C-alpha cells in the first residue's frame, strides 16, 4: 500500500502538531512545513538554506582507503555478497574509520564465519554494514576470506548530512 496525501483544501497533508505538517508539493516534492520547509527533490532532502541530506552511489572498491572530503559527516552503507564454500571458513567484510591514515578502528562487520558444521550446502548470502564517517576522516571496507571463499560489493551508498 501507499499513503496518499490530499494536496488541496483544508485536509491537505498530515498535521504533526501546531502549524507543522507534511504535504505533497509540486514537482514530485514531499514538504515538511511550516517555517523551514524541507523538500525531497531528485534524491536530495533540501532545506530552504541549502542541501541537508545527499545520497550517492560512488564507485568504490574493497580494501581501498578513502577520505571523507565532503566537509560533512557521511553515512556509509555497504552490501556485499559473501560465499564460504565449506566449514571452518570465513567470508566477511569489515568497515574501518580513523582520524589518520590508515583507518584502524573496526566499526562494523558482517558475513560468514563458519566454525562448525551448520548443515548448509550452499553458503552464499548478502550482508550489509552501516557506519558513520566524520568529516576529514579516513575509511575503508576490507574483506576476509579463507580458501575459495569470496566477498564482493553488491551496493555501496553514501549519505551526506549537514
Amino acid at each position: 500500500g501507499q499513503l496518499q496525501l490530499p494536496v488541496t483544501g483544508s485536509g491537505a497533508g498530515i498535521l504533526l502538531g501546531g502549524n507543522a505538517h507534511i504535504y505533497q508539493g509540486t514537482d514530485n516534492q514531499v514538504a515538511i512545513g511550516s517555517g523551514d520547509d524541507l523538500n525531497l527533490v531528485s534524491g536530495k532532502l533540501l532545506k530552504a538554506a541549502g542541501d541537508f541530506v545527499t545520497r550517492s552511489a560512488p564507485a568504490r572498491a574493497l580494501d581501498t582507503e578513502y577520505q571523507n572530503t565532503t566537509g560533512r559527516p557521511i553515512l556509509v552503507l555497504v552490501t556485499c555478497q559473501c560465499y564460504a564454500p565449506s566449514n571452518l571458513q570465513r567470508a566477511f567484510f569489515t568497515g574501518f574509520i580513523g582520524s589518520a591514515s590508515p583507518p584502524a578502528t573496526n566499526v562494523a562487520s558482517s558475513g560468514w564465519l563458519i566454525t562448525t558444521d551448520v548443515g548448509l550446502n550452499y553458503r552464499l548470502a548478502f550482508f550489509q554494514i552501516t557506519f558513520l564517517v566524520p568529516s576529514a576522516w579516513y575509511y575503508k571496507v576490507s574483506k576476509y576470506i579463507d580458501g575459495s571463499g569470496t566477498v564482493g560489493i553488491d551496493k555501496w551508498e553514501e549519505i551526506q548530512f549537514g
Side-chain angles (χ1 to χ4, degrees), residues 1 4 23 56 71 92 99 108 126 132 141:
Q4 294 185 353
Y23 61 93
S56 65
F92 67 97
S99 59
F126 291 89
L132 190 65
V141 175

Side-chain angles (χ1 to χ4, degrees), residues 47-58:
K47 271 179 37 173
D51 286 354
F52 181 69
V53 176
T54 304
R55 187 178 195 152
S56 65

Side-chain angles (χ1 to χ4, degrees), residues 53-142:
V53 176
T54 304
R55 187 178 195 152
S56 65
R60 297 285 193 240
L62 296 173
D63 301 310
T64 302
E65 181 180 305
Y66 301 98
Q67 185 177 19
N68 177 6
T69 59
T70 65
R72 303 171 178 184
I74 59 172
L75 185 67
V76 177
L77 303 93
V78 181
T79 302
C80 284
Q81 182 180 24
C82 299
Y83 173 64
S86 63
N87 295 322
L88 305 176
Q89 292 203 341
R90 301 178 299 171
F92 67 97
F93 57 109
T94 300
F96 294 92
I97 64 170
S99 59
S101 176
T105 303
N106 178 338
V107 291
S109 190
S110 191
W112 290 112
L113 175 56
I114 302 172
T115 58
T116 61
D117 186 355
V118 294
L120 298 173
N121 293 325
Y122 193 65
R123 298 170 183 93
L124 175 67
F126 291 89
F127 297 91
Q128 185 178 60
I129 60 173
T130 303
F131 56 97
L132 190 65
V133 182
S135 178
W137 279 41
Y138 295 86
Y139 62 105
K140 73 175 180 178
V141 175
S142 296

